[in-house]
Structure formats: C-alpha cells, structure tokens
Amino acid sequence: EAGVAQSPRYKIIEKRQSVAFWCNPISGHATLYWYQQILGQGPKLLIQFQNNGVVDDSQLPKDRFSAERLKGVDSTLKIQPAKLEDSAVYLCASSFNGMDNQPQHFGDGTRLSIL
Amino acid sequence: RKEVEQDPGPFNVPEGATVAFNCTYSNSASQSFFWYRQDCRKEPKLLMSVYSSGNEDGRFTAQLNRASQYISLLIRDSKLSDSATYLCVVNLKDSNYQLIWGAGTKLIIKP
C-alpha cells in the first residue's frame, strides 16, 4: 500500500513570499489532515477535510493560510504571505474515515524555512 | 490547563531498563487514545492504540485509567532504537472526532 505522499520535502523562502504544499493521501482514505509542527512541539492541526468538505479549520490562520481538496483526493496548503513564525514542518496525514479508533498515517512532511 | 499534557523529558534510561511515562487529558468525553512515536526529523508513526482493557505489543504495554484521566506507556527491556519522542493523542468523540496531540516525551536510551 502506498503511503501518504507530500511535496516538496524542503522549501526555503523569504518572508512575505508565497508557498504551496501538496499532499496525496492513501488511496481510499476519506479524511485528510494538515498539521504544523514547530520544533520541540507536538503537531498542531491546521485543517481537517472529510472528502472535499472542511470539518475543522479552527486553528488555521485564515488571513494567510488556505487549503483546498477540490476532488476529495489530493490537497494543497498555501501560505501567502509567509512570516518568520511559519518556519515549521508541515505534515499531511490521512485516515480511513476519521471516525473513532482510526489511526492517522503521515507523510514525510515539508520542512519550511522562512528567511 | 492543556487538553493533553506530557512530561517533555528527556528521560535518560540505560539500555535494558524498564521505563514508563504518562499522558493526562482534561476532557472526560475523550473516547479513543493512541501512542505515536516520532524519530528526530521524521514524521509521527502509530505505535499502538490504547484500549480500555489495556493492550500489549511485545515489549510495549499501554494502559488507560479513565477515573484519573491518563494513559500510560511502559517499555520493557529498552533498546537503543527505542530512543525517540513519544506522542500521546486523544480523540474527542464529538461531531468532528477531533484529535488532540500532546507535545511528546523525549526518551533517550543510553548504552
């Protein structure tokens, strides 16, 4: 079974620039998550999709972050404009249906550095 | 109070020893629980789910104490390869099945 695919693995940009990340979940997984993980902290949920609908985006800084999952499969996360504090690893995860006792499977993440 | 709390460590443990750490959660409505392992600069990977009756997988044992609202992870006969950060995850059974992550406990196994 192919895992969660993310790209790029690394990205370095200057503050105020824009950046986009891509995620392809495990085939058949209805639920997709984007997390931000700052060094030394646990993952922080940014947004959760169930198919192509948003389930939870309460912690997404909507003035600069956006995400979409138009066809209910792959997803993109965008930051525009980036700030220094956005330096982090951005993890994408998927689960079968997001229900009780469904574990999440993570991609390798995108390590973002803002200069 | 944080929704999910873990001792950040690090726990420095000699190889072969037994080590245990806890994770406390604040929401009594929490329904399912997981331990994830995260190696340095890697993504989290599921270690084990935590069932009400407790569960064991080789050298790893997970327990749930609903009355005191914590879960525990016990590692017996620790190996150098067990060095990692162990993340506790709690699933709230509300309409969104929101997952709350702890900040993790860092474990270092020394030869």
Side-chain angles (χ1 to χ4, degrees), chain B residues 56-74:
Chain B
E56 187 174 314
D57 182 4
R59 299 181 293 108
F60 297 82
T61 301
Q63 297 279 357
L64 167 63
N65 185 317
R66 285 195 183 275
S68 300
Q69 293 186 199
Y70 73 87
I71 63 172
S72 63
L73 180 67
L74 178 82

Side-chain angles (χ1 to χ4, degrees), chain A residues 74-92:
Chain A
D74 56 348
S75 174
T76 55
L77 175 70
K78 295 179 182 177
I79 307 175
Q80 182 181 8
K83 291 186 176 181
L84 292 175
E85 60 259 35
D86 298 333
S87 293
V89 176
Y90 290 84
L91 294 161
C92 179

Side-chain angles (χ1 to χ4, degrees), chain A residues 100-115:
Chain A
D100 212 16
N101 276 327
Q102 289 290 328
Q104 298 183 2
H105 302 269
F106 284 82
D108 292 335
T110 295
R111 191 171 299 276
L112 176 66
S113 297
I114 310 296
L115 303 179

